[in-house]
Amino acid sequence: MDVPEELRARRLFGGATMAPGDLAASPYRVDRDRIVSSPYFARLGGVTQVISPGGSGLLVHNRLTHSLKVAQVARAIAERLTADPRYRDLMNKLGGCDPDVVEAAALAHDLGHPPFGHLGERVLDTLARQRFALPDGFEGNAQSYRLVTSTVIRGETIGLDLTAAVRAAMLKYPWTRHTYPRPHVRHLDPPPRGAGAPPEDPTRGSVKFGAYVTELVDLRQAREPFAGRLADWQQTVEASVMDTADDIAYAIHDVEDFHRVGVLQQGSVATELMAWQRDAARLRTIDAETLAATARRPGRSVEQLRRDLRRKDDWISDDDAFAAAVEHVRQELVDGLLAAPFDGSVEAEQSVARFSARWTRRLIDAIEVRPDPPVRSGHVLLTQAQWHEVQVLKFVHHRFVLARPDLALHQRGEARLIGTLVEALYDWLVDPDETARLPRRIHDLVELAQAELAALVDDPAALGLIAAPRRAELAAMARGRAIIDFVASLTDSQAVALLDALSGRSRQLWTDSFVL
């Protein structure tokens, strides 16, 4: 039995309400329009995807162009699956798959990502937990969900008030960090992808999660149409499509960027992949400790990847498929895309375009829907061969870009910048002589956080606390959440300019680099 459309199209405050600015007839097209018209979406053009575009002189993906490409891939997958008679009944039974819902969720999935990409996410999480005692910390997916959810404060509705289907499709990780669902998914064996706690700190809760406890009511309402069809921790089909599209775009388009800026070199990639192919049998005999200690030697990082995949994803990992994927990626990169340096010529641009188109089509055509997927997968997933190819492409990105000392140097500076900015803003917020001159936006964020946390104070367990916080503790937590929200809403350049102003380095009084 299909889910009634009125349940999927329901907004948080009931019914399929339309706002004066809504132009489309479809409620899901309305959601798409609300997302792309929001300031949250426009801001993504100034937020780093993986490497900062500053100084490169070339187009590299930012969070905005990445989101647009994820939406393009996600819609193509959804249209292909809904046209396939093999999957139509199954997807309807699981709750539906509408291309408009998938596209809207893909456009919204990165709205909450802070300045400087995943580096900013890690820094804000540490500050939120350790500096401001917020058990939920900070997580980019949960922040995205926080932005689009709707709250009434002072009689006004804030947020985008999206349909249940689109909100549910945004939830790659439909659980909170510590408390929902109960028992929590991190205790499953194995836990869903992203749900496990970090080994070095099991008390920290899930590494990835889709919502803070302050948005839990919204999460539950978004998931109501799918009750009885999916486990509490399982993605909807539409979320699974979006998640798969994100993986595809991440694997392909980031390789494009690294080639464009000259970071990805044919020789180093060839040496690594071919050394593993040549020495695979011998490398398998090396003990784990020695392998980790000698990971920089050619071929050993690939062997470590193979072992990691077997350990984490034995439901799909296969040695023959892995070897075939290494060979296919070697052909495509070493003998293909990287054979000539990128020089900005028409020929070079066409080579990149062909690489992207070929890989995108190959991966989209390898999508299937399973009625009973393993715990670490959604219902929509890549076939075994292409799943391994994506893992190898992502490995190239990690091994030859993210592990570079020059990138680490740059990111350490960005981490220090964010930490200093958070402290400077908090000092301003708690200065009693500055209350009247504090930006109104920060006042609003404090008021919002106070209202949300106060609503949960009678249930400290929901907050991940042993006892209800005292009034002073609650006020400090609200101020901390407000500062974290504020910094997370900045672009890279706004964060730099704001810290320059707060530290006295800027001589410019009025600037369009940030809005107070």
Side-chain angles (χ1 to χ4, degrees):
M1 179 179 175
D2 297 355
V3 175
E5 200 57 36
E6 61 268 21
L7 292 181
R8 285 172 47 86
R10 181 172 178 248
R11 302 184 187 277
L12 184 62
F13 298 110
T17 55
M18 303 287 275
D22 296 335
L23 302 176
S26 161
Y28 311 126
R29 294 297 291 179
V30 165
D31 283 359
R32 181 199 180 281
D33 293 347
R34 289 183 182 185
I35 291 162
V36 299
S37 299
S38 72
Y40 316 129
F41 189 72
R43 164 191 161 268
L44 295 179
V47 179
T48 293
Q49 167 65 10
V50 176
I51 53 176
S52 172
S56 70
L58 296 168
L59 174 65
V60 296
H61 287 85
N62 53 49
R63 286 280 167 185
L64 179 62
T65 56
H66 168 72
S67 297
L68 291 170
K69 290 192 174 183
V70 173
Q72 178 189 36
V73 173
R75 187 175 187 95
I77 294 172
E79 289 178 347
R80 175 183 171 277
L81 294 179
T82 53
D84 192 328
R86 295 176 298 168
Y87 301 132
R88 193 174 299 129
D89 290 344
L90 173 59
M91 291 194 299
N92 287 338
K93 179 182 177 182
L94 293 170
C97 184
D98 188 311
D100 285 340
V101 170
V102 169
E103 182 181 10
L107 290 167
H109 84 283
D110 267 354
L111 290 179
H113 272 271
F116 311 122
H118 289 294
L119 178 279
E121 186 178 10
R122 291 192 298 272
V123 174
L124 288 180
D125 178 48
T126 299
L127 288 167
R129 288 182 295 105
Q130 298 181 4
R131 175 68 175 83
F132 301 123
L134 294 165
D136 270 352
F138 180 88
E139 209 279 342
N141 294 281
Q143 193 73 10
S144 295
Y145 198 74
R146 179 171 175 78
L147 291 180
V148 305
T149 54
S150 298
T151 303
V152 175
I153 185 167
R154 298 195 307 271
E156 297 291 334
T157 301
I158 62 172
L160 300 184
D161 200 17
L162 305 180
T163 60
V166 170
R167 283 180 282 132
M170 289 179 62
L171 291 166
K172 289 186 189 182
Y173 313 103
W175 52 82
T176 64
R177 184 165 214 154
H178 293 282
T179 60
Y180 176 85
R182 293 177 178 169
H184 195 268
V185 291
R186 69 181 182 278
H187 301 304
L188 292 177
D189 186 19
R193 184 167 56 92
E200 70 277 7
D201 185 6
T203 65
R204 208 167 87 192
S206 292
V207 173
K208 293 287 186 181
F209 54 100
Y212 304 121
V213 291
T214 48
E215 282 71 60
L216 184 53
V217 170
D218 188 292
L219 181 153
R220 284 176 163 163
Q221 194 256 27
R223 298 273 301 184
E224 280 178 5
F226 308 95
R229 300 170 185 269
L230 303 165
D232 287 339
W233 51 266
Q234 182 64 273
Q235 297 171 334
T236 66
V237 170
E238 289 153 333
S240 191
V241 171
M242 183 271 287
D243 191 12
T244 303
D246 192 20
D247 241 15
I248 290 172
Y250 179 80
I252 297 172
H253 301 136
D254 288 346
V255 169
E256 289 181 30
D257 286 353
F258 309 144
H259 174 52
R260 285 176 182 274
V261 299
V263 169
L264 208 54
Q265 297 293 319
Q266 183 192 38
S268 56
V269 177
T271 299
E272 181 68 32
L273 299 183
M274 294 172 71
W276 180 84
Q277 291 179 310
R278 182 186 65 244
D279 301 330
R282 181 178 61 82
L283 291 170
R284 290 189 190 190
T285 67
I286 299 176
D287 65 87
E289 184 177 350
T290 302
L291 187 68
T294 58
R296 303 300 294 182
R297 295 182 186 176
R300 301 198 177 199
S301 291
V302 179
E303 174 60 19
Q304 187 65 64
L305 171 67
R306 184 192 70 81
R307 296 185 190 188
D308 288 345
L309 295 179
R310 291 302 298 264
R311 176 174 53 85
K312 294 178 181 179
D313 291 292
D314 60 352
W315 61 275
I316 193 172
S317 180
D318 175 83
D319 286 346
D320 290 338
F322 181 79
V326 170
E327 173 59 16
H328 188 74
V329 171
R330 187 199 64 77
Q331 291 177 3
E332 288 286 309
L333 285 180
V334 176
D335 299 342
L337 182 67
L338 305 181
F342 184 85
D343 58 6
S345 65
V346 171
E347 182 180 3
E349 289 287 4
Q350 288 179 338
S351 176
V352 171
R354 286 193 297 270
F355 174 87
S356 180
R358 185 168 60 250
W359 270 99
T360 302
R361 175 51 58 192
R362 177 182 180 84
L363 297 177
I364 288 176
D365 287 345
I367 300 289
E368 60 184 9
V369 186
R370 291 190 188 177
D372 53 350
V375 171
R376 283 183 58 82
S377 171
H379 285 278
V380 177
L381 66 161
L382 289 161
T383 54
Q384 187 180 58
Q386 280 65 54
W387 181 89
H388 282 83
E389 290 168 3
V390 167
Q391 306 312 311
V392 176
L393 282 174
K394 289 162 72 173
F395 160 79
V396 170
H397 153 207
H398 281 270
R399 172 68 176 80
F400 298 104
V401 180
L402 296 187
R404 289 173 61 101
D406 50 359
L407 181 61
L409 176 68
H410 192 59
Q411 289 183 331
R412 287 182 69 83
E414 292 171 340
R416 185 179 295 273
L417 185 154
I418 291 176
T420 306
L421 178 58
V422 166
E423 292 294 346
L425 285 168
Y426 190 78
D427 288 345
W428 191 10
L429 172 60
V430 298
D431 186 341
D433 295 329
E434 289 289 309
T435 301
R437 299 203 303 167
L438 196 70
R440 186 65 220 177
R441 184 172 162 200
I442 293 182
H443 278 298
D444 289 343
L445 289 172
V446 172
E447 186 176 353
L448 172 63
Q450 286 174 333
E452 291 174 332
L453 292 171
L456 296 170
V457 76
D458 293 332
D459 185 11
L463 286 168
L465 302 172
I466 297 174
R470 295 188 295 270
R471 179 175 296 182
E473 294 172 329
L474 196 68
M477 291 170 68
R479 289 193 296 266
R481 175 57 71 190
I483 294 300
I484 295 293
D485 281 348
F486 183 83
V487 172
S489 72
L490 302 173
T491 65
D492 294 8
S493 61
Q494 284 175 331
V496 173
L498 189 53
L499 183 59
D500 280 348
L502 283 167
S503 60
R505 290 193 297 266
S506 174
R507 304 297 299 166
Q508 189 173 3
L509 180 58
W510 313 115
T511 175
D512 59 2
S513 294
F514 54 89
V515 178
L516 295 179

